[in-house]
Amino acid sequence: MTASIKGKRVAFLATDGVEEVEYTEPRKAVEAAGGTAELVSIKTGEIQAVNHMDKAGTYRVEKSVQEADAGEYDALVLPGGVANPDFLRMDSDAVRFVRDFFNAGKPVAAICHGPWTLVEAGVVDGRTLTSWPSLRTDLVNAGATWVDETVYVDEGLITSRNPDDLPAFCEAVVERIAARQPA
């Protein structure tokens, strides 16, 4: 990755059940490109990541979503994991936070099960995206066009299917953040 995002702030919205590599690898990519990453969550303290269904590491929450303002960030990343986005979509502050990024026209990236939160935020109608295959029906029912591709970019929305897609996903995330001009 050659793009620089120095001075850019990126929110990572996640909670318990986040797929560890879908959080850690994009975060490393953002930081390696000079950006600042911040873990935002529906809870305070730490979140419990998973490796599929097994417990993995824990990560310190840097800001609660109740206090978070999309205006403070340049982009949003939604990691997957089966439980993580299901918990997020049930939290009105998390849904508002996601919707605020779309309303501001800022880049949003979601991988694997991450797009479930996008469905709840009502922001996929008319969009084309990819995800873990089991989300296809939910996305189509919400008005999206679903494609089976490693990474798909629809304007500022970057999506990927699973951890195998992380190299392409991370590269696309950094490139889109670098390409966005300040408002």
Side-chain angles (χ1 to χ4, degrees):
M1 282 181 250
T2 58
S4 171
I5 57 171
K6 186 174 182 175
K8 304 283 186 176
R9 291 185 68 206
V10 181
F12 284 76
L13 180 60
T15 193
D16 294 329
V18 65
E19 187 69 32
E20 187 170 46
V21 296
E22 293 174 7
Y23 166 63
T24 59
E25 292 305 304
R27 184 173 178 133
K28 286 178 197 172
V30 163
E31 291 172 341
T36 300
E38 190 168 285
L39 177 58
V40 178
S41 186
I42 59 175
K43 60 183 276 187
T44 58
E46 292 185 336
I47 62 169
Q48 176 66 60
V50 296
N51 180 3
H52 301 293
M53 301 302 278
D54 299 322
K55 283 186 177 180
T58 58
Y59 296 90
R60 185 178 61 82
V61 173
E62 292 156 304
K63 184 172 270 190
S64 75
V65 74
Q66 294 83 3
E67 301 170 338
D69 178 356
E72 299 174 357
Y73 301 96
D74 297 288
L76 171 66
V77 177
L78 297 167
V82 177
N84 168 56
D86 200 45
F87 290 136
L88 294 177
R89 68 190 303 198
M90 296 299 295
D91 185 279
S92 61
D93 290 315
V95 172
R96 171 204 43 84
F97 190 62
V98 170
R99 193 177 301 118
D100 288 349
F101 278 88
F102 278 86
N103 290 341
K106 295 180 179 185
V108 174
I111 186 167
C112 203
H113 288 79
W116 258 342
T117 312
L118 301 177
V119 169
E120 197 67 33
V123 296
V124 299
D125 189 20
R127 298 278 196 155
T128 299
L129 62 155
T130 192
S131 67
W132 183 254
S134 68
L135 275 65
R136 179 181 184 169
T137 300
D138 294 331
L139 291 165
V140 169
N141 286 343
T145 299
W146 187 88
V147 294
D148 184 12
E149 295 187 23
T150 304
V151 65
Y152 194 88
V153 180
D154 179 341
E155 297 180 27
L157 176 60
I158 306 111
T159 52
S160 284
R161 304 169 298 189
N162 60 57
D164 293 340
D165 298 339
L166 278 165
F169 180 72
C170 292
E171 183 175 353
V173 168
V174 170
E175 287 176 358
R176 284 306 293 175
I177 296 170
R180 184 173 187 275
Q181 299 300 317

